[in-house]
């Protein structure tokens, strides 16, 4: 599966951005897709996931501010980011894996996600 992210950019604190991830195809009806981010000098961090059944989960630092969604007809994953903070600055990646990848907290570390996009940069200024 090929994943292509878009929608990143520069925004002031308090602003919003919507990231998109176009998938070449969904290889299975049972899948887990997610958004991850990595800032310079920091480890990769799980942001949000969505399973093929519609269940979602979020990292603690983005709960209440970010929303993950998908449009199956368009094979596209979204991440709506509101109330952005400077600490949200990072490269954002979307990833896909088997539905089991969504079933444990290991998702926060990106485990069992085999397909990754190239990333889109988000910069939040204070």
């Amino acid at each position: 599966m090929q994943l292509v992210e878009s929608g990143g950019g520069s925004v002031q604190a308090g602003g919003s951005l919507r990231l998109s991830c176009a998938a070449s195809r969904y290889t299975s009806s049972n899948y887990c897709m997610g958004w991850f981010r990595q800032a310079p000098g920091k480890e990769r961090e799980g942001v949000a996931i969505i399973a093929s059944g519609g269940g979602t989960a979020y990292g603690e630092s983005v709960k209440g501010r970010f929303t993950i969604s998908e449009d199956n007809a368009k094979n596209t994953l979204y991440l709506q980011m509101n109330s952005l903070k400077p600490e949200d600055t990072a490269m954002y990646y979307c990833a896909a894996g088997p539905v089991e990848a969504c079933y444990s907290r290991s998702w926060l570390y990106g485990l069992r996600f085999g397909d990754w996009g190239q990333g889109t940069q988000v910069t939040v200024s204070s």
Side-chain angles (χ1 to χ4, degrees), residues 19-105:
L19 304 184
S20 299
C21 173
S24 59
R25 69 188 188 284
Y26 285 151
T27 57
S28 170
S29 59
N30 298 310
Y31 57 84
C32 178
M33 296 195 72
W35 288 98
F36 298 83
R37 67 187 182 186
Q38 188 166 20
K42 294 187 177 181
E43 293 186 354
R44 183 176 61 197
E45 175 186 13
V47 176
I49 53 169
I50 185 166
S52 48
T56 60
Y58 296 89
E60 286 296 325
S61 62
V62 306
K63 279 183 179 178
R65 300 188 297 123
F66 290 11
T67 303
I68 190 171
S69 63
E70 61 182 352
D71 184 333
N72 290 329
K74 296 181 179 180
N75 282 358
T76 302
L77 181 72
Y78 301 101
L79 184 69
Q80 178 66 44
M81 306 186 295
N82 298 328
S83 301
L84 282 161
K85 304 175 181 180
E87 50 263 45
D88 294 318
T89 295
M91 185 71 78
Y92 283 71
Y93 301 89
C94 74
V99 68
E100 291 80 9
C102 277
Y103 287 171
S104 76
R105 288 183 60 80

Side-chain angles (χ1 to χ4, degrees), residues 9-17 81 84-85 89 122-126:
S10 297
V11 65
Q12 289 191 327
S16 298
L17 284 173
M81 306 186 295
L84 282 161
K85 304 175 181 180
T89 295
V122 172
T123 301
V124 184
S125 59
S126 58

